[in-house]
């Protein structure tokens, strides 16, 4: 459309590059070209940028310099992506507890401050070098563009909003920025419920966005209502889902309800867009020009093909507060081979979920978080749920149910779960009115136990 072209070629570049003096559009153009490079050329670029980062950290970040010295590591000997594995893993707790020693002391580094509460609820405050921030926004432009959501296209965002009360001038400024400049209609996911979904559908029908961008769980609630009630809704050209784990049954229902293809994205506050699907839907392409993403097992070694592992991220540009081999707390399966779209960017086969979403049972087995959505998706009476491992041998399952919920459903659910977890754990099923969201408005469907190991007699509770 002509208006999309005008926004992308004139209006937004004039604002971002001219008024704000940001390099976002310059970096976006570079990324649009480099995505087609052969894999070997992209990896060579990563190695050059990695060596620059490590040299910088060694000179200007006291914590990294001392830690690597304690491990006997010579950063000048890192000449390949494989060599990166010789460096120790960095955890969120390490960043939080040593933030002052980690941050760069190089004079004149311009940065912005950000924070994330994460699913654990413990806030992490960090700095981002301004050019690195421009690069990550550019990466989001590219990744969303694969789903037809380049900047300036008409979009509706079913997303979290700022919960702090803003001065009316700032509130007006943010509304104008979203609606007039970036053509985004912001729908508050915090306030959506099954009782008011028709209001959200009506708003989508009035605005008629080209692309719908949403958290996975509120979008699933909206799609289920559309499907069950036969509501007529605008059909966007595509739907982008991010910020929460997207399960296969959710994708299936969302695509059926809206008649639109779903594109999954994966990102975080620390790095913005880490990976995104292209139109071939063979996995998520990693933003490899800006980041190095590793999938490793519990011993820090590369996970075997097809096996899930924890995600480590190295930011190649954030010199204000470097993240090197940072355990972000999520799990994924690395992709194998190349996508037939022709991009040289490596793939993540799938995002599995949070590291804590794996339940470690008393008998030593690991129960993946995807177990519960797989079991519960076949019980239509359950509207929402959350499984919490309150102790190593106690799993509390909270369910929000419809009027058709009955004792037979409850007994069948209990027996199916106990059949898999055995008698080493206590199962508690609680009927509740709503599931508590995180501070960011997200739904954690599975939460693993993080406390000390204890031994308790096993029993089954209703």
């Amino acid at each position: 459309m002509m208006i999309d072209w005008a926004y992308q070629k004139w209006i937004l570049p004039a604002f971002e590059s001219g008024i704000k003096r940001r390099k976002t559009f310059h970096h976006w153009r570079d990324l649009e070209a480099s995505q087609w490079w052969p894999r070997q050329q992209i990896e060579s670029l990563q190695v050059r940028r990695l060596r620059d980062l490590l040299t910088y950290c060694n000179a200007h970040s006291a914590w990294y310099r001392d830690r690597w010295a304690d491990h006997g590591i010579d950063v000048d000997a890192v000449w390949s992506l494989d060599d990166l594995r010789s460096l120790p893993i960095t955890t969120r707790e390490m960043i939080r507890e040593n933030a002052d020693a980690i941050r760069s002391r190089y004079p004149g580094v311009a940065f912005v401050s950000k924070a994330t509460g994460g699913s654990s609820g413990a806030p992490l405050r960090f700095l981002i070098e301004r050019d690195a921030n421009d690069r990550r926004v550019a990466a989001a432009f590219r990744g969303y563009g694969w789903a037809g959501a380049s900047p300036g296209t008409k979009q509706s965002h079913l997303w979290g909003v700022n919960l702090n009360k803003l001065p009316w001038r700032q509130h007006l400024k943010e509304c104008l920025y979203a609606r007039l400049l970036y053509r985004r209609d912001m729908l508050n996911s915090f306030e959506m419920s099954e009782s008011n979904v028709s209001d959200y559908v009506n708003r989508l029908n009035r605005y008629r966005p080209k692309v719908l961008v949403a958290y996975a769980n509120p979008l699933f609630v909206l799609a289920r209502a559309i499907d069950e009630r036969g509501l007529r809704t605008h059909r966007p050209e595509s739907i982008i889902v991010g910020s929460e784990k997207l399960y296969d049954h959710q994708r299936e229902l969302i695509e059926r309800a809206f008649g639109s293809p779903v594109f999954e994205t994966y990102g975080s506050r620390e790095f913005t867009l880490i990976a995104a699907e292209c139109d071939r839907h063979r996995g998520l392409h990693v933003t490899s020009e800006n980041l190095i993403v590793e999938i490793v097992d519990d011993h820090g070694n590369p996970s075997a093909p097809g096996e899930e592992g924890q995600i480590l991220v190295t930011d190649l540009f954030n010199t204000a507060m470097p993240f090197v081999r940072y355990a972000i707390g999520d799990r994924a399966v690395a992709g194998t081979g190349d996508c037939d779209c022709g991009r040289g960017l490596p793939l993540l086969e799938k995002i599995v979920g949070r590291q804590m979403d794996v339940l470690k049972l008393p008998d030593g087995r690991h129960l993946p978080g995807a177990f519960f959505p797989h079991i519960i998706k076949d019980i239509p009476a359950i509207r929402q749920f959350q499984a919490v491992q309150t102790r190593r041998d106690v799993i509390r399952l909270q369910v929000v149910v419809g009027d058709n919920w009955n004792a037979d459903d409850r007994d069948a659910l209990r027996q199916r779960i106990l059949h898999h977890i055995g008698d080493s754990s206590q199962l508690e099923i609680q009927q509740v009115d709503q599931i508590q969201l995180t501070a960011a408005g997200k739904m954690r469907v599975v939460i693993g136990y993080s406390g000390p190991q204890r031994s308790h007699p096993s029993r089954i509770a209703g």
Side-chain angles (χ1 to χ4, degrees):
M1 292 176 60
M2 181 63 68
I3 190 170
D4 292 349
W5 181 87
Y7 268 88
Q8 292 171 21
K9 297 298 183 181
W10 296 102
I11 299 173
L12 290 175
F15 177 80
E16 293 286 347
S17 304
I19 298 174
K20 290 296 185 179
R21 305 283 184 184
R22 296 171 182 151
K23 297 181 180 179
T24 310
F25 276 75
H26 169 77
H27 294 318
W28 181 29
R29 287 192 297 270
D30 287 346
L31 291 173
E32 289 291 341
S34 60
Q35 66 182 327
W36 304 109
W37 290 358
R39 178 75 57 83
Q40 185 177 5
Q41 186 176 356
I42 293 175
E43 290 180 353
S44 295
L45 176 68
Q46 286 181 301
V47 170
R48 292 197 303 272
R49 290 176 170 174
L50 173 63
R51 284 181 54 80
D52 289 342
L53 173 69
L54 298 183
T55 299
Y56 185 93
C57 290
N58 219 31
H60 304 292
S61 177
W63 186 81
Y64 280 112
R65 179 178 62 246
D66 295 344
R67 188 161 188 249
W68 294 338
D70 289 343
H71 283 77
I73 294 169
D74 178 9
V75 297
D76 292 333
V78 176
W79 283 96
S80 69
L81 297 181
D82 289 341
D83 291 339
L84 177 61
R85 295 201 294 270
S86 66
L87 274 63
I89 293 173
T90 305
T91 66
R92 173 182 288 241
E93 291 71 24
M94 291 176 184
I95 297 283
R96 184 185 301 114
E97 294 171 3
N98 301 280
D100 191 60
I102 290 173
R103 63 175 296 181
S104 168
R105 294 303 173 188
Y106 188 79
V109 174
F111 59 84
V112 293
S113 300
K114 294 198 176 183
T116 176
S119 299
S120 65
L124 175 67
R125 294 175 176 82
F126 55 96
L127 309 177
I128 303 174
E129 195 272 331
R130 286 193 180 277
D131 184 66
N133 194 60
D134 291 348
R135 289 178 182 274
R136 59 183 57 189
V137 174
F141 284 177
R142 180 181 69 178
Y144 276 40
W146 297 337
S150 297
T153 56
K154 197 175 183 182
Q155 303 171 21
S156 288
H157 286 232
L158 181 59
W159 210 253
V161 300
N162 192 333
L163 295 178
N164 297 321
K165 186 173 180 60
L166 300 176
W168 73 268
R169 290 181 183 274
Q170 185 176 351
H171 176 72
L172 178 61
K173 179 181 177 181
E174 291 193 2
C175 291
L176 293 175
Y177 180 87
R179 189 65 177 264
L180 297 183
L181 187 62
Y182 272 91
R183 303 177 73 201
R184 297 171 183 165
D185 186 29
M186 306 302 294
L187 307 177
N188 187 352
S189 66
F190 296 164
E191 296 179 351
M192 198 190 75
S193 65
E194 293 200 17
S195 63
N196 66 3
V197 291
S198 59
D199 296 336
Y200 285 75
V201 171
N202 291 336
R203 188 157 160 181
L204 287 172
N205 289 340
R206 289 194 301 269
Y207 192 64
R208 302 184 63 80
K210 179 179 179 180
V211 180
L212 172 59
V213 183
Y215 284 175
N217 283 289
L219 180 62
F220 178 65
V221 171
L222 182 62
R224 185 174 58 203
I226 292 171
D227 186 62
E228 292 177 349
R229 303 177 195 177
L231 301 176
R232 298 188 63 179
T233 184
H234 167 68
R235 178 175 177 172
E237 293 184 12
S238 59
I239 297 173
I240 296 175
V241 174
S243 198
E244 296 179 302
K245 165 64 184 168
L246 175 69
Y247 294 99
D248 290 341
H249 73 281
Q250 293 177 319
R251 181 194 289 263
E252 179 183 346
L253 178 60
I254 292 167
E255 291 187 335
R256 181 171 73 245
F258 285 95
S260 308
V262 169
F263 290 74
E264 185 178 9
T265 63
Y266 169 59
S268 73
R269 287 282 290 175
E270 295 97 322
F271 308 107
T272 309
L273 187 71
I274 297 173
E277 277 189 306
C278 72
D279 59 359
R280 307 306 169 92
H281 303 283
R282 288 199 56 229
L284 286 75
H285 288 285
V286 177
T287 308
S288 294
E289 301 95 335
N290 295 356
L291 308 169
I292 296 175
V293 175
E294 305 172 72
I295 310 299
V296 301
D297 60 23
D298 292 339
H299 303 289
N301 300 314
S303 295
E307 295 292 327
E308 71 173 73
Q310 67 169 322
I311 301 174
L312 306 181
V313 183
T314 298
D315 189 322
L316 297 171
F317 285 102
N318 186 14
T319 55
M321 181 172 281
F323 289 82
V324 181
R325 301 201 81 206
Y326 173 70
I328 196 170
D330 295 329
R331 298 180 67 83
V333 177
T336 57
D338 299 319
C339 181
D340 56 9
C341 70
R343 293 178 176 87
L345 301 170
L347 293 166
L348 298 178
E349 181 179 316
K350 63 179 177 179
I351 306 301
V352 178
R354 295 287 304 171
Q355 184 82 5
M356 284 186 63
D357 290 348
V358 177
L359 308 189
K360 297 179 181 179
L361 302 180
D363 60 10
R365 289 183 297 137
H366 289 68
L367 191 68
F371 164 80
F372 291 95
H374 180 72
I375 290 288
I376 291 173
K377 67 180 174 61
D378 296 324
I379 304 178
I382 297 180
R383 317 302 291 176
Q384 290 181 318
F385 76 93
Q386 184 180 67
V388 181
Q389 195 176 27
T390 58
R391 297 195 312 243
R392 184 67 72 205
D393 63 345
V394 177
I395 298 174
R396 183 182 68 221
L397 179 64
Q398 294 185 325
V399 293
V400 178
V401 300
D403 294 338
N404 54 340
W405 172 255
N406 55 48
D408 290 340
D409 285 334
R410 185 187 187 92
D411 292 342
L413 175 63
R414 182 189 300 114
Q415 293 305 317
R416 291 179 69 182
I417 295 175
L418 290 175
H419 174 74
H420 289 275
I421 67 175
D423 60 3
S424 65
S425 293
Q426 170 187 340
L427 175 64
E428 301 173 349
I429 300 178
Q430 298 178 351
Q431 184 175 334
V432 298
D433 293 330
Q434 63 181 8
I435 302 297
Q436 185 70 35
L437 301 180
T438 70
K442 302 175 187 178
M443 170 78 72
R444 287 201 61 193
V445 295
V446 181
I447 303 175
Y449 178 67
S450 59
Q453 175 72 47
R454 294 183 182 178
S455 177
H456 298 275
S458 301
R459 64 188 188 278
I460 299 174

